[in-house]
Amino acid sequence: MEILIFGHPALRERAKPVENINGKLKETIDKMAETMYKAKGIGLAANQVGILKRFFIMDVSQREGKNKLEVYINPEIVSAEGEMLYEEGCLSIPGYFAPVKRYAKIYVKAYDINETLIEKELEGISAIVFQHEYDHLDGILFIDRLSHIKRQLFKKWWRKHYKK
Ligand code: NI
């Protein structure tokens, strides 16, 4: 499975709801997990592998050397509060990092791979990654959330590092 890089149109599309949580989706998620771990990422949205469906995976436990994959299908952010600044990166924008302002705490709803409805509160890094991945499903990248000046600097950086 290949991770699409900034500039690919699939990263700018709004993904459609998942209609069936079936074996095929489980297989896809397994492959995505393998791809994410190999790339040493902590989150990967379906858009990033060219699938325009509303689901993503994340694992914020990796740094402790213990894997705990979380799968969010048809996710929703029900409510949010607070503010937090965190240095983000993205597997689709390799090598670039910048601080992004996000909600500090979110209350979310989603289905897991067993079609169980998950309702929970996330904070800290989990809340950040969830919001980042959720944005992907709407075709939004973290660089879109930077100030105008920083976005211009990013464009310059990108041209310099990814000039073909
Ligand atoms: Ni990303």
Side-chain angles (χ1 to χ4, degrees), residues 48 89-92 132-133 136:
Q48 291 179 278
C90 180
L91 292 176
S92 295
H132 177 116
E133 300 312 324
H136 273 301

Side-chain angles (χ1 to χ4, degrees), residues 19-22 26 73 110-118:
E19 279 160 16
N20 287 303
I21 299 178
N22 53 24
K26 282 180 193 158
I73 300 164
Y111 286 96
D112 71 8
I113 197 64
N114 302 311
E115 222 171 327
T116 305
L117 182 67
I118 318 162

